[in-house]
Amino acid sequence: MNYTTLLALLLSTSPSILPLSTTAAFSTHPKTPFFASSPSMFSGGLRHSFSPPHVRSHMPPTAAAAAENHRPPAKQIAVIGAGAAGLAAARAFLRRSDRDRVRFDVTVLERRPSVGGIWDRDESSSSSKSKRRPMYENLRTNLPKELMAFREFPWGGDGAEESYVTHRKVRRYLEDYADEFRLKEFIRFGCTVEQLTVLSNAQNSSDDDNGNNDNNNEWPRISLQWKVHDDNAQQQTFDAVCICNGHYALPSIPPLPGLSSFPGPIRHAIEYDRPDEYAHKTVLCIGARASGTDIAREIGSVAEAVYLSDSTCRRRQQFGNVVLLPRTTRIDDGGAVRFSSSGEEEEEVIQGIDVIIFCSGYDYDFPFIHENSNLDLQFAPGERRVRPLYEQLWHARYPSVSFIGLPHSVVPFPLFEIQANAVRTAYELQFAGQSGILPSLSERLEAAERDASSGGPEEPGRVQDTHYLGPHQWEYCRRLAKLGRFYDASLENYIATNKELYDCSGRERKAMVPGGKDTYRQTRFARDDDSRSYRILYSEMASAQSV
C-alpha cells in the first residue's frame, strides 16, 4: 500500500489525522461543544483532536499533495473588530471538521492593540476630557458570568467567586477565549478599516483563485481598505465580510430644548470614569437604564445630590440623596431644569444643577461605510436603526456582508455565538454551490423593510426600538439556530436555562432602588442545563429562592 492510498484510508476513517493547516483552529477544550450533536458541517467539530505537526512533516511529497488536494477550496473571510462579536465570528469560521464543504481563510482587522472591544478599558485616558470608551473604573456586569459566557467556553458556576464580575475579568475571559481557540494568530492589530466597497458584477465575473466563476450579483465580493498604525494603506478583496465593530462608540445625545443655555459641563456616560470628580456637586443623569442607574448610584456616594431622569417615571421618588424624576423637558435661560411625565401638565423645576450627564445610549456607526462606499446602508443618528437587514444580521441585498451584534437588550456573547454560526452556515452552503438557507432577494428585502418599519417587537413601537429584543431574544436565537441547521435538544436546554437565569437576574436587579445598596450583585449562580434551570449558591436578597 503506498502513502497516497494509506492517507486516503486514514482520512476516511479518522478525522483526527487531518494535516495541520494554518487556517484551522481545532479545539482540545473539554467543555461543552457548541454543536456537539448538530448535523451538517458542525458535526463533531469540537471533538476532533489537534493534529501534531509531525503528521504532515513526515509525509512524502505524494502524500502531502494528496492531502492538499483533499482540502476543500478556500474562501476569504474578513472580520472587522476583535471584540466579543468578532472573536465569536472568527471562532465560527475557523472551526474545522471532516464534513466541511468549504475552507475559510480568516482575517480579523482590529484597530486597537488587543482583543476585547469595549471591555478593553483604556487605562491611560481615564479623565473625562480624553476618555472615549464606555468602560469605567468600577463597572461590574449586570448579568451573571454563568449567563454571559460563550456556550463552548463556560465560566463560573462553582460559587467560589462572584457571578457579577468586573470589566477586567470579562476582558481576561475574552483573552482566554482567544487563546484557547488560537484566534490571535488570525488577528491583525492596529488596523483601522477606512472603506468597504461592493465589487461590481464585472469585477466579480473573473475566475477567483479556486477557478470558480461566480457571477451572482447577489453575492458580490467585497473590497476593504485599511491603514496600519495610521500609516501604510492596504487593500484586499474578500468573499464575505462580517462587521463586528460594536455599537458603543458614538454617543447619542437627544435634542433637549434650552440645552445650550446650561452654564455647567455637559457630558455623556462614555466620559464617566470615577465618582470622585463629582464630590459635593449636584448632578443630573438623563437616562435610567443600565449605565444611568449605576452611575447615579456611584456618584450618589460622594455628591451633594443626584437627580436621575427616567422617561418612564410618573412622579418624584427620593432614595437618600438620589432623586428619581420624570422626563427632562427643557432647560430655562438661567439654567433651571424642568421635568414632567408624559401627559402631565404640572412640571417640577430644579435649580442649582452643576453637571449634566447624558446616559442616553449610543448610535450605530460604521465609519468605513460612507459616501465613497457603494453599499446601500442607512443608519441615521438618533434613529438607532440599521437598514436593510434580513433577520437583523445579513444585508438584505448583499448577504455576503453581515452584521453580528446589532440587537440590544440581550445577553450578548451567546447571541453573538449563535449569529456567527448561522452566518457560517449560510456562507458555506452558498460558496459550496448548494441549496442555501436564505430566502430569495425579494423575500429578504420585503422582510427587511417590514422589520425596519415595525418599531421593534412590542406595541406601540418606535424606531429606536427596531433592534430591541429583551424577552424576544430567546425565540430569535431559536429561529437563527433552526435557520442555521444546528438547533437540537441540547441547544434548547441551553437557551431555556439562559432565559431562566436572565429572568431571575432581572427580577433581583429591578428590586433595587436608585442610590441603594447594590445587593443583587452578591448573588452567585450555578447552571443546570439538563433541567433548564439554575441554583442560587449564595444570595443577600431576602426573596432569593432556589428554582
Side-chain angles (χ1 to χ4, degrees), residues 307-319 322-327 339-342 344 346-348 513-514:
Y307 296 101
L308 179 60
S309 177
D310 181 1
S311 60
T312 66
C313 177
R314 302 289 297 177
R315 58 181 177 81
R316 177 190 180 105
Q317 302 173 59
Q318 185 152 357
F319 307 95
V322 178
V323 181
L324 189 64
L325 292 172
R327 180 190 300 274
F339 305 87
S340 177
S341 60
S342 178
E344 297 288 334
E346 184 176 350
E347 290 184 314
E348 179 164 357
V513 298

Side-chain angles (χ1 to χ4, degrees), residues 147-434:
L147 170 62
M148 284 185 63
F150 292 114
R151 186 187 180 201
E152 66 175 340
F153 199 57
W155 192 13
D158 57 4
E161 295 183 346
E162 68 277 7
S163 286
Y164 297 88
V165 297
T166 66
H167 61 83
R168 293 179 180 86
K169 290 187 176 181
V170 178
R171 184 195 170 191
R172 180 68 260 171
Y173 169 81
L174 293 174
E175 289 272 3
D176 291 345
Y177 177 84
D179 290 339
E180 177 67 28
F181 299 116
R182 306 180 182 183
L183 304 180
K184 291 181 181 177
E185 62 189 276
F186 304 98
I187 303 174
R188 299 185 188 180
F189 294 105
C191 295
T192 301
V193 180
E194 297 192 319
Q195 184 165 320
L196 179 152
T197 305
V198 178
L199 298 185
S200 68
N201 200 36
Q203 291 170 298
N204 277 302
S205 63
S206 59
D207 288 355
D208 63 22
D209 294 339
N210 301 303
N212 300 320
N213 187 300
D214 183 3
N215 198 27
N216 186 347
N217 60 7
E218 287 185 29
W219 290 84
R221 303 180 81 189
I222 308 297
S223 171
L224 291 182
Q225 299 176 32
W226 68 89
K227 280 190 176 181
V228 181
H229 301 296
D230 298 323
D231 186 13
N232 298 326
Q234 297 189 22
Q235 182 275 336
Q236 186 174 337
T237 297
F238 297 91
D239 295 287
V241 173
C242 297
I243 297 175
C244 308
N245 68 324
H247 49 84
Y248 294 101
L250 184 62
S252 176
I253 297 182
L256 177 61
L259 183 61
S260 60
S261 301
F262 185 73
I266 300 170
R267 295 173 181 162
H268 187 273
I270 197 171
E271 300 171 83
Y272 174 78
D273 194 65
R274 298 182 180 91
D276 51 350
E277 65 176 297
Y278 300 96
H280 311 299
K281 296 183 183 295
T282 298
V283 182
L284 168 62
C285 296
I286 299 179
R289 299 195 68 179
S291 62
T293 53
D294 274 356
I295 290 173
R297 176 181 53 79
E298 275 204 7
I299 292 176
S301 65
V302 298
E304 179 71 24
V306 178
Y307 296 101
L308 179 60
S309 177
D310 181 1
S311 60
T312 66
C313 177
R314 302 289 297 177
R315 58 181 177 81
R316 177 190 180 105
Q317 302 173 59
Q318 185 152 357
F319 307 95
N321 67 338
V322 178
V323 181
L324 189 64
L325 292 172
R327 180 190 300 274
T328 307
T329 56
R330 69 168 293 108
I331 298 175
D332 293 341
D333 289 342
V337 184
R338 295 179 178 270
F339 305 87
S340 177
S341 60
S342 178
E344 297 288 334
E345 294 184 3
E346 184 176 350
E347 290 184 314
E348 179 164 357
V349 182
I350 304 293
Q351 302 271 3
I353 292 174
D354 298 308
V355 184
I356 294 177
I357 303 176
F358 279 91
C359 306
S360 46
Y362 299 81
D363 284 321
Y364 295 102
D365 187 36
F366 310 98
F368 42 84
I369 300 174
H370 42 67
E371 63 275 6
N372 295 325
S373 176
N374 60 350
L375 181 69
D376 176 23
L377 192 74
Q378 302 166 41
F379 48 100
E383 284 191 353
R384 299 184 192 170
R385 173 178 62 182
V386 183
R387 60 193 303 183
L389 297 180
Y390 178 70
E391 287 289 4
Q392 302 197 42
L393 184 54
W394 291 277
H395 190 278
R397 180 170 292 280
Y398 300 124
S400 51
V401 178
S402 58
F403 298 80
I404 296 174
L406 292 188
H408 66 85
S409 303
V410 299
V411 184
F413 297 2
L415 184 134
F416 299 162
E417 200 171 33
I418 288 175
Q419 284 187 317
N421 286 288
V423 169
R424 178 194 161 128
T425 306
Y427 291 174
E428 180 167 9
L429 294 175
Q430 173 63 30
F431 296 144
Q434 300 189 10

